[in-house]
Amino acid sequence: MRNRTWRSTAVLAALAVPILLTSVATAAEASPSRLGITTVSNPRPDLVSGGQVLVRVTPPDPGSARQVRVTAGGHDVTSVFRAQADGSLLGLVTGLRDGGTDVTATAGHGGRASVRVVNHPITGPVFSGRQQQPFYCETTAYGLPPATMPLCSAPTQVTYQYKTTAGKFQPLADPASRPADLATATVGGHPVPYVVRVERGTIDRAVYEIAALTSDATAPSPYTASPGWNGKLVYTFGGGCNAGYHQGATTGGVVNDLFLAQGYAVASSSLNVLDNNCSPIISAEAAMMVKEHFAETYGPIAHTIGWGGSGGAIQQYDIAEAYPGIVDGIIPGVSFPDPMTTFGPVSDCELLNRYFAGNGASFTAAQKLAVGGWNSYDTCVSWELTFANRATATDSCNAAIPVAARWDPVTNPHGVRCNSNEQFVNQIGRDPKTGFVRSPLDNVGVQYGLDALRAGKITPAQFVDLNASVGGLDYTGKPVPQRSTADPKALDAVYRDDIYNSASLGLRSTPIIDQRTDLDFAGTGNDIHTSDWSYVLRQRLLTANGTAANQVIIENQPTAEQQAAASAYELDAMDRWLTAIDRDGSHRPAAAKVIANRPADLSDGCYVSATQRVQEKLTYPSSGQCGAAYPVAENTRTAAGEGTAMNTLKCRLEPVDFRSYPVRFTPAEQSALRSAFPSGVCDYDRPGVGERHPAGTWLDYGSR
């Protein structure tokens, strides 16, 4: 099967709940005796954009292909269809108006087939909901002409590069020329000139980039695959997490030798960088639209592989879960499961660091480490330095947002707020009292340092003072003495819409290779990317589906040699995995096909050198040879008693029971602990407040 079906969930939605998008195609895929018609560039015909769509018509039999006639909105478009090697007809239907258009194929006595295409503007939105204003343009960062707010549209630009025999990419004015130092790539076993066509333009208000090998200046065609393209796409996602309100000066990167040298095309968008936009929903929409444009330019895609680390991993996990089919297999690096789960430990670290600098100054380095749970307390320091400002009103505003436009409670109360929650306003809504997006952040009842107390690493007095003094964050992200309290409506929306990633929907049938570069210890750089997060997602898969056999975790050290070896192996393994799934003609469910077709050589494991990979099941807590080389620690929430899945955003409470502690508290300490937890402490044996099964996939947030 060359084109994977983009799955959808048909569920009736209650009032005030986002609409669940369902396929509106009226024609089934063709049987040997029936005429069939499908949209190819976006197999969701109700989500087409840009006024055009690539359509495949399958005649009832090879001899009837010449009898096929195709109309779009009553206008004959048969002339745009071309015969393909598999006997089907492929056509790029253009000139679609916004809204619905029936594309209909007839074939004499072979019958009639139709699909209703719903077109949306190329500037978006499609399903993410009302676009937030203002939106500051950054097209010039890509060499595109200046653009105008708020749509930030710019003309498409095509440039060329070539790879030199010295391994560097250089500009190339004439793609038909052959510089003396031009390198060669190998695609499908055949050598091709290493010349790269790079296309840049604007889609969904973002700047997109596409790169693929080319042989000359001839424009690519959706009807005939380029000899430098292997028919597959790698979609890259960039890291971070921030509020947005600007176009972004970077994408996930497309001129990548690992991909291009093997013939993969590469695509990305500035809204696929989570630091430009912390909403995986907006990212999903941008990726869908860019991928559609790519297919309309280059032709049908065999499969799409997601790639990227940190915030790029969040997008892959969350898009595969909530909007399955945009990426077919994912390779998330140094991963986190979703933004909402991560916010808890980030805010914890800000509060703990503040406490240890004040009332908790007597805590030793070992005691701080025990409270935090990490392999290195530098992780907590790094979280505050790099991400704590994302919870504030304006401290993380990008330089593209003028200072005069930013929120101020006195001078500009309606200004731009750079809290990372801002990008979820269409899902969560605003608190009318504050004007800020409702927050699911909560630490009421969380017993910081509980594991450290149980292990005898901190005293009862320290435990009491820590929890009495740690405090929380207010709606502007500033520390306050009171614990943080989640908005009930925010909790309901986050669970209902699967913004907290339950791993129960699209992920259960998605091939996953979790690329875990070990950054747990001090001195390894950006050590917020601790290994426990890979196992948080694994536990969610197990909890939701009873198996995590579709997720492989491979660990490696942060050396250039090991990272290169791991990346090359994982890309190859994912391609083989997806190819086997595509060829599986059985009637097994999709999730079963994924597990059954995992390559035999692909399993959990770790690199002990650039040339040696140990294959063994990875566990949490750590065990085995990989566990010794790559020990996995806790985080602030699991060290406070929460389970590995971290599926509780706001815990249910139970009274303080001093019999549950392995230590004795003095009467004064007991009184102080009760005062610190007047409503009780977390009971993680019960589901969290608002926790529920998500509504379904492909949610629509009222874009039209």
Side-chain angles (χ1 to χ4, degrees):
M1 183 175 69
R2 184 164 176 78
N3 298 297
R4 304 175 74 83
T5 301
W6 290 17
R7 296 151 288 188
S8 61
T9 301
V11 180
L12 292 177
L15 292 176
V17 174
I19 297 171
L20 291 160
L21 293 169
T22 57
S23 176
V24 298
T26 58
E29 291 190 9
S31 67
S33 59
R34 290 187 60 188
L35 180 69
I37 185 169
T38 56
T39 53
V40 174
S41 53
N42 189 335
R44 292 296 308 249
D46 53 330
L47 303 179
V48 166
S49 61
Q52 59 184 18
V53 63
L54 191 63
V55 175
R56 187 185 300 278
V57 175
T58 308
D61 56 75
S64 62
R66 293 184 179 181
Q67 300 175 358
V68 171
R69 295 291 179 267
V70 186
T71 60
H75 300 285
D76 193 307
V77 293
T78 308
S79 62
V80 304
F81 282 79
R82 306 283 187 273
Q84 302 297 296
D86 62 359
S88 68
L89 300 171
L90 199 63
L92 182 62
V93 178
T94 62
L96 299 175
R97 60 178 178 83
D98 289 348
T101 298
D102 290 324
V103 181
T104 303
T106 57
H109 298 295
R112 181 178 183 275
S114 182
V115 60
R116 185 162 183 79
V117 173
V118 181
N119 182 65
H120 303 77
I122 197 64
T123 52
V126 179
F127 58 72
S128 68
R130 185 175 65 88
Q131 292 167 333
Q132 299 304 300
Q133 307 300 337
F135 190 79
Y136 295 91
C137 309
E138 295 174 86
T139 50
T140 56
Y142 304 85
L144 298 174
T148 303
M149 295 172 62
L151 298 180
C152 295
S153 299
T156 301
Q157 178 188 90
V158 175
T159 59
Y160 298 90
Q161 299 182 34
Y162 77 100
K163 184 184 174 184
T164 69
T165 51
K168 295 183 178 181
F169 287 96
Q170 298 287 355
L172 185 64
D174 180 5
S177 66
R178 297 293 178 261
D181 60 346
L182 174 65
T184 299
T186 302
V187 180
H190 303 288
V192 296
Y194 206 135
V195 177
V196 185
R197 178 185 185 271
V198 180
E199 178 182 326
R200 295 184 178 92
T202 53
I203 290 176
D204 200 21
R205 303 193 302 174
V207 174
Y208 75 90
E209 295 183 307
I210 292 171
L213 296 182
T214 187
S215 57
D216 53 36
T218 304
S221 167
Y223 303 113
T224 305
S226 166
W229 180 40
N230 66 10
K232 304 157 190 176
L233 178 67
V234 174
Y235 205 100
T236 63
F237 298 87
C241 175
N242 213 339
Y245 288 102
H246 64 108
Q247 198 168 33
T250 58
T251 71
V254 296
V255 181
N256 184 305
D257 182 58
L258 174 63
F259 309 138
L260 294 170
Q262 301 177 68
Y264 291 93
V266 193
S268 191
S269 158
S270 61
L271 285 181
N272 297 128
V273 177
L274 216 60
D275 213 42
N276 298 333
N277 147 56
C278 199
S279 167
I281 298 161
I282 295 174
S283 174
E285 178 181 83
M288 178 192 72
M289 295 174 72
V290 171
K291 181 179 173 181
E292 178 186 341
H293 169 71
F294 174 85
E296 290 161 0
T297 304
Y298 280 87
I301 305 165
H303 51 245
T304 302
I305 299 172
W307 187 278
S310 190
I314 288 176
Q315 292 167 86
Q316 291 179 71
Y317 269 130
D318 290 10
I319 291 171
E321 167 74 356
Y323 294 92
I326 294 176
V327 285
D328 299 309
I330 61 175
I331 308 178
V334 291
S335 62
F336 302 100
D338 59 77
M340 297 300 172
T341 305
T342 312
F343 289 164
V346 173
S347 63
D348 293 344
C349 284
E350 179 177 9
L351 298 173
L352 289 173
N353 293 340
R354 182 169 172 266
Y355 170 74
F356 290 139
N359 288 5
S362 64
F363 277 64
T364 66
Q367 289 176 324
K368 293 178 185 178
L369 182 61
V371 170
W374 321 100
N375 277 321
S376 168
Y377 194 76
D378 282 356
T379 294
C380 238
V381 175
S382 295
W383 269 127
E384 181 176 9
L385 290 174
T386 56
F387 279 95
N389 63 357
R390 311 305 166 90
T392 65
T394 58
D395 290 351
S396 68
C397 284
N398 186 272
I401 303 171
V403 174
R406 301 175 189 178
W407 175 87
D408 183 277
V410 177
T411 62
N412 194 10
H414 301 293
V416 172
R417 302 170 182 87
C418 296
N419 183 299
S420 56
N421 277 346
E422 282 295 313
Q423 295 298 286
F424 293 99
V425 65
N426 290 332
Q427 292 75 46
I428 300 177
R430 292 193 185 279
D431 182 341
K433 296 179 181 178
T434 66
F436 281 66
V437 173
R438 300 178 188 276
S439 174
L441 183 65
D442 195 282
N443 68 342
V444 174
V446 174
Q447 299 185 79
Y448 293 107
L450 181 60
D451 282 358
L453 176 71
R454 288 170 172 167
K457 295 180 179 180
I458 63 174
T459 67
Q462 287 176 311
F463 177 75
V464 171
D465 188 70
L466 167 61
N467 283 288
S469 306
V470 69
L473 302 178
D474 68 9
Y475 68 89
T476 69
K478 299 299 183 183
V480 292
Q482 301 78 26
R483 296 280 184 123
S484 306
T485 303
D487 186 306
K489 292 184 178 180
L491 289 171
D492 179 70
V494 166
Y495 283 115
R496 178 195 67 211
D497 295 2
D498 213 16
I499 300 169
Y500 147 85
N501 191 337
S502 69
S504 65
L505 301 175
L507 276 180
R508 68 192 306 244
S509 54
T510 298
I512 304 164
I513 302 178
D514 191 294
Q515 185 182 64
R516 179 49 67 181
T517 297
D518 187 77
L519 298 170
D520 280 33
F521 292 93
T524 57
N526 201 11
D527 60 5
I528 61 173
H529 304 99
T530 52
S531 298
D532 52 297
W533 295 106
S534 294
Y535 299 89
V536 170
L537 202 288
R538 169 162 290 183
Q539 187 58 50
R540 291 184 184 180
L541 285 166
L542 285 166
T543 300
N545 311 308
T547 180
N550 62 312
Q551 184 209 41
V552 169
I553 301 174
I554 300 177
E555 299 170 319
N556 64 269
Q557 295 294 340
T559 65
E561 295 79 13
Q562 284 198 26
Q563 288 180 298
S567 295
Y569 171 74
E570 289 155 1
L571 178 65
D572 175 70
M574 179 58 74
D575 182 47
R576 289 186 284 119
W577 195 353
L578 291 172
T579 299
I581 295 169
D582 286 342
R583 292 172 177 171
D584 188 338
S586 71
H587 296 291
R588 288 178 291 196
K593 285 186 179 183
V594 169
I595 295 171
N597 287 286
R598 196 176 85 186
D601 63 291
L602 177 61
S603 69
D604 282 358
C606 64
Y607 280 83
V608 293
S609 73
T611 58
Q612 183 180 2
R613 177 173 56 89
V614 173
Q615 290 186 260
E616 66 178 19
K617 184 172 180 59
L618 302 182
T619 61
Y620 180 73
S622 306
S623 64
Q625 184 177 352
C626 291
Y630 298 89
V632 183
E634 296 184 299
N635 60 56
T636 56
R637 292 297 170 107
T638 55
E642 187 170 4
T644 305
M646 293 185 67
N647 49 14
T648 301
L649 297 174
K650 179 179 178 61
C651 66
R652 296 189 184 276
L653 303 174
E654 62 180 353
V656 176
D657 181 1
F658 291 101
R659 295 171 299 178
S660 67
Y661 300 97
V663 297
R664 289 189 177 184
F665 294 92
T666 67
E669 289 167 349
Q670 290 185 19
S671 177
L673 197 61
R674 288 193 182 98
S675 296
F677 296 109
S679 302
V681 295
C682 286
D683 178 3
Y684 288 117
D685 289 333
R686 292 191 291 166
V689 176
E691 191 173 340
R692 52 164 286 184
H693 192 77
T697 60
W698 286 94
L699 299 184
D700 173 40
Y701 294 96
S703 60
R704 298 188 62 78

